[in-house]
Amino acid sequence: MKPSIGVLGGTGPAGSSLGLRYASLGHNVTLGSRDPERAKEFVNTLDLSALTGTLVGGDNLSAAQSEIVVVATPWDGAEATLTSVAQQVQGKIVISMANALYKHGRNMHALTLPRGSVAQHLASCVPGARIVGAFHHAPAKELGDLGSSLHSDILVCSDDSDAIASVIELVNEIPGCRGINAGNISAALAIEAMTAVLINVNIRYKTRTSLSLSGIEAGNK
Amino acid sequence: MKPSIGVLGGTGPAGSSLGLRYASLGHNVTLGSRDPERAKEFVNTLDLSALTGTLVGGDNLSAAQSEIVVVATPWDGAEATLTSVAQQVQGKIVISMANALYKHGRNMHALTLPRGSVAQHLASCVPGARIVGAFHHAPAKELGDLGSSLHSDILVCSDDSDAIASVIELVNEIPGCRGINAGNISAALAIEAMTAVLINVNIRYKTRTSLSLSGIEAGNK
C-alpha cells in the first residue's frame, strides 16, 4: 500500500501537478486549499481517468491527515499554513517544495530568509515534523502531463536521513526522475535559490531546463 | 591573439588548474601569489611541454596586469587581494570563482555573505571592475589534467552582459565545457552555495559530479 499524500496549497500549478502525478502512480492524494470548495471544483476539472490512486480536493486540514504532507503554497504562506496543521503533521514527513523568489525587472531573484530557506524556516516553525526539501526545480507542466516523462535529478535534503531515503524512493517512482541525496537541510538555501537561476535560464534560452548531476551511479544513499 | 589571463591566488588547486588549462589553449597566463617566489617555484614543478601559450609565476600585481583577471584566492582573502590591485583591474573582466564555504561535522555548508555572495561582494568593493561569476563548480583535478575532457555546464553571471558573453566564449574554449548565461550577478548566491551541495554529493556518492542543464541548444545568449 503506497502512502497517502496530502498537498497543502494543492490547487497551485506545482502542487496540483505533483498530486496528479502521484495519484497516477497509485497514491491516494488530497489537494488541500484554504477554500475546500475551490479545491473540489478544481479536481472536477481534471482528467482522472488514468489514475490508479485517487485524487480529491479538500481543506488543508484534511490534506494534513495524509501520511506524507507536501507544502506547495506560495513561500510567504508556507509558515501560516503549516503551523495551522502542526498537530496533524507531528512525526510525519513534510516535503517543502516552495521557493522564496521575487521578480525585479525581467529577472527572478532568490530571497534569503533569516534561516536561509523556506525548508529551514518550516523546520524551525514545526519542529515535530520531519521536514524534507524536494521538487524545487521540477517543471510543473511536465509533472502534471502524465504522458510526459521527466529527465530531472531531484535534490532531496533534510536533517532526517531516513526521511531523505523515503522521499528519494517517492521521487524515483516518477518516470525519468531520480532522487539525489543532497544532504543536510542547509542545502535548501542553494537549491531554492537555484530555482531563480533556472527560471532565468528558461526565459533567456526559451527552454524548460532541468538539472542533472553527472557521475552518480547508485539510487538511494 | 587570445587575451592574457592573470590568476590572483594562482597557486591553489582551482586557480592553478584553470591557469594551466588556458595556457594549454594558447593564452599567456600569470599565476599570481602573495609570495612570487613560491609561484615561480610552483610553475617549475608543472609539465609545461604541452602548452601553446605561456605560464609564469609572479606576484598578484603582475597577474593583475593581464587582460582578464581571475580571483581564485580562498573566499576570505578575495576582498583584500582584489582591492590591492584595484587600479590594475579597472575596466577589466574579473572572474570570481571563489566559494564561501565552511565545514561543520562531515558536511560542507555555504556561508551567506551580507551582499549574498563573494562575487557580489567583490563587485561592491571594486566597482570599476567588470565582475563575472564563473567556474565555481569546475572540478580542479579535471581542469588541470590536460588529457581529460570535462563534461560541465559552467554557469556565468554578471551585471555586465558583454562580460558574460566574453566569459562564455572563454569557457567554451575548454573541451567539454559549456558556458551558460545565468543572468544577473545575484545568481552568484545560488551558484556559490550549490558548490557545497555538490561537494557533499561527491563525498556521499564517492564521485566527482558535474552540473548539466538539459534543453539548452544554443551557445552564447
Side-chain angles (χ1 to χ4, degrees):
Chain A
M1 189 67 180
K2 293 191 171 182
S4 60
I5 298 173
V7 186
L8 311 180
T11 56
S16 61
S17 297
L18 193 75
L20 185 63
R21 177 65 75 158
Y22 276 114
S24 82
L25 295 165
H27 295 266
N28 294 327
V29 176
T30 306
L31 298 184
S33 170
R34 278 178 302 184
D35 179 351
E37 290 312 312
R38 195 160 63 95
K40 284 170 192 165
E41 281 165 28
F42 176 79
V43 169
N44 285 337
T45 67
L46 299 173
D47 173 11
L48 307 181
S49 58
L51 305 190
T52 56
T54 60
L55 187 71
V56 299
D59 57 13
N60 284 320
L61 195 66
S62 70
Q65 313 286 349
S66 304
E67 292 165 272
I68 292 176
V69 176
V70 178
V71 183
T73 63
W75 73 272
D76 49 357
E79 174 184 349
T81 305
L82 189 62
T83 54
S84 77
V85 297
Q87 217 184 317
Q88 284 72 27
V89 300
Q90 287 300 305
K92 291 182 185 171
I93 289 174
V94 173
I95 297 174
S96 172
M97 64 187 299
N99 298 297
L101 306 178
Y102 71 102
K103 196 167 183 177
H104 179 73
R106 296 184 308 165
N107 290 303
M108 296 300 289
H109 299 265
L111 287 161
T112 313
L113 302 191
R115 287 186 180 80
S117 61
V118 178
Q120 289 165 291
H121 184 70
L122 294 180
S124 80
C125 293
V126 186
R130 305 165 70 194
I131 304 285
V132 178
F135 295 112
H136 297 93
H137 308 148
K141 191 169 173 290
E142 284 80 0
L143 256 184
D145 175 3
L146 302 179
S148 131
S149 171
L150 288 86
H151 300 283
S152 276
D153 281 344
I154 305 289
L155 296 167
V156 180
C157 64
S158 177
D159 287 343
D160 180 329
S161 54
D162 291 338
I164 291 182
S166 298
V167 173
I168 287 179
E169 274 184 45
L170 199 66
V171 169
N172 291 344
E173 287 184 31
I174 302 177
C177 277
R178 178 173 70 156
I180 302 282
N181 184 337
N184 213 267
I185 196 141
S186 73
L189 167 66
I191 297 168
E192 295 181 14
M194 190 56 78
T195 309
V197 176
L198 297 178
I199 293 172
N200 291 335
V201 166
N202 283 344
I203 295 168
R204 184 166 299 109
Y205 289 89
K206 296 185 175 57
T207 187
R208 303 180 72 79
T209 192
S210 283
L211 220 54
S212 298
L213 271 66
S214 67
I216 295 177
E217 301 292 334
N220 304 13
K221 283 265 171 164
Chain B
M1 188 67 183
K2 293 191 171 181
S4 60
I5 297 175
V7 186
L8 310 181
T11 57
S16 61
S17 297
L18 193 75
L20 186 63
R21 177 66 75 157
Y22 277 114
S24 82
L25 295 165
H27 294 265
N28 294 329
V29 176
T30 305
L31 299 184
S33 171
R34 277 177 302 183
D35 179 349
E37 289 312 312
R38 194 161 65 95
K40 285 172 190 167
E41 281 164 28
F42 175 79
V43 169
N44 284 337
T45 68
L46 300 174
D47 175 8
L48 307 182
S49 58
L51 305 190
T52 56
T54 61
L55 188 71
V56 298
D59 57 12
N60 284 320
L61 195 65
S62 69
Q65 312 287 349
S66 305
E67 290 164 272
I68 293 177
V69 175
V70 179
V71 183
T73 64
W75 73 271
D76 49 358
E79 174 185 349
T81 305
L82 190 62
T83 53
S84 77
V85 297
Q87 215 183 320
Q88 284 72 27
V89 301
Q90 288 299 308
K92 291 181 185 171
I93 290 175
V94 172
I95 298 174
S96 173
M97 63 187 298
N99 298 296
L101 306 178
Y102 71 101
K103 196 167 184 176
H104 179 73
R106 295 184 309 163
N107 290 304
M108 296 300 290
H109 299 265
L111 288 161
T112 314
L113 302 191
R115 287 186 179 81
S117 62
V118 178
Q120 288 165 291
H121 184 68
L122 293 180
S124 81
C125 293
V126 186
R130 305 164 70 194
I131 305 285
V132 179
F135 294 112
H136 297 93
H137 308 148
K141 190 167 174 289
E142 284 79 1
L143 256 184
D145 176 2
L146 302 180
S148 131
S149 170
L150 288 86
H151 299 283
S152 278
D153 281 345
I154 305 289
L155 297 167
V156 180
C157 65
S158 176
D159 287 344
D160 179 329
S161 54
D162 291 338
I164 291 182
S166 298
V167 173
I168 287 178
E169 273 184 47
L170 199 66
V171 169
N172 291 346
E173 286 184 32
I174 301 177
C177 277
R178 180 173 68 155
I180 301 282
N181 185 338
N184 212 268
I185 196 144
S186 73
L189 166 68
I191 297 167
E192 294 181 14
M194 189 56 79
T195 309
V197 176
L198 297 178
I199 292 172
N200 292 334
V201 166
N202 282 345
I203 294 168
R204 184 166 298 107
Y205 289 89
K206 297 184 175 59
T207 186
R208 302 181 71 79
T209 193
S210 282
L211 221 54
S212 297
L213 272 66
S214 67
I216 295 178
E217 302 291 335
N220 305 12
K221 282 264 171 167

